Amino acid sequence: MKHWLVKTEPEAYSFAQLQKDKTTAWTGIRNYTARINLRAMAKGDEIFVYHSVSEKAVVGLATVIRTAYPDPMVEPDEKGEWVCVDLKAGRALPHPVSLETIKAHKTLKEMLLVRQSRLSVAPVSEKDAAELRKLGGL
């Protein structure tokens, strides 16, 4: 099992909405590196959901339930073979892990979330995943 971080603006689609929906297609990713990461996801991979912009915190967990397939939201004039994955909502973190906490942490500060802050889908190491769960109260 691998671990990933996906970013979402909570005003557009929050983790609470994912929990209400139970599952969702993670569509709309239009970055080549993020697309590579989506294609690398496997069923059962753990997802850390990060609220960007206003909250700036890892707020919950999800699981990949369907691997990469063509993104149905692609506009006819868009170039590229854009993909999406399906996610199943998991638990909310009892203690959201803020970006400030991540940046101050001795090892988490090296995460792609910090080093490539605009990347919307990024891998998370096993060690960092364990630390995020610990800091989040799981």
Side-chain angles (χ1 to χ4, degrees), residues 39-80:
R39 287 180 173 166
M41 290 180 178
K43 282 185 181 180
D45 282 357
E46 180 178 54
I47 304 294
F48 290 91
V49 179
Y50 177 85
H51 279 175
S52 61
V53 185
S54 59
E55 197 171 340
K56 296 183 182 178
V58 177
V59 296
L61 299 174
T63 305
V64 176
I65 58 170
R66 182 178 176 192
T67 58
Y69 62 95
D71 186 336
M73 305 303 289
V74 171
E75 297 293 329
D77 62 339
E78 284 185 291
K79 295 184 190 261

Side-chain angles (χ1 to χ4, degrees), residues 14-127:
S14 68
F15 182 71
Q17 186 63 51
L18 173 58
Q19 286 187 305
K20 182 179 176 183
D21 295 344
K22 297 188 181 10
T23 65
T24 193
W26 206 257
T27 61
I29 306 301
R30 300 296 182 267
N31 172 283
Y32 291 103
T33 303
R35 180 178 70 184
I36 290 167
N37 292 333
L38 286 172
R39 287 180 173 166
M41 290 180 178
K43 282 185 181 180
D45 282 357
E46 180 178 54
I47 304 294
F48 290 91
V49 179
Y50 177 85
H51 279 175
S52 61
V53 185
S54 59
E55 197 171 340
K56 296 183 182 178
V58 177
V59 296
L61 299 174
T63 305
V64 176
I65 58 170
R66 182 178 176 192
T67 58
Y69 62 95
D71 186 336
M73 305 303 289
V74 171
E75 297 293 329
D77 62 339
E78 284 185 291
K79 295 184 190 261
E81 296 178 12
W82 303 113
V83 298
C84 63
V85 297
D86 288 354
L87 302 180
K88 179 181 178 184
R91 297 178 60 184
L93 296 182
H95 310 288
V97 183
S98 71
L99 180 59
E100 183 178 308
T101 298
I102 292 168
K103 285 181 173 181
H105 193 277
K106 62 184 177 184
T107 58
L108 294 179
K109 67 182 178 185
E110 297 301 320
M111 289 179 63
L112 284 178
L113 172 65
V114 176
R115 293 187 294 119
Q116 292 182 336
S117 62
R118 295 188 53 87
L119 187 59
S120 60
V121 179
V124 175
S125 72
E126 179 70 41
K127 183 178 177 181

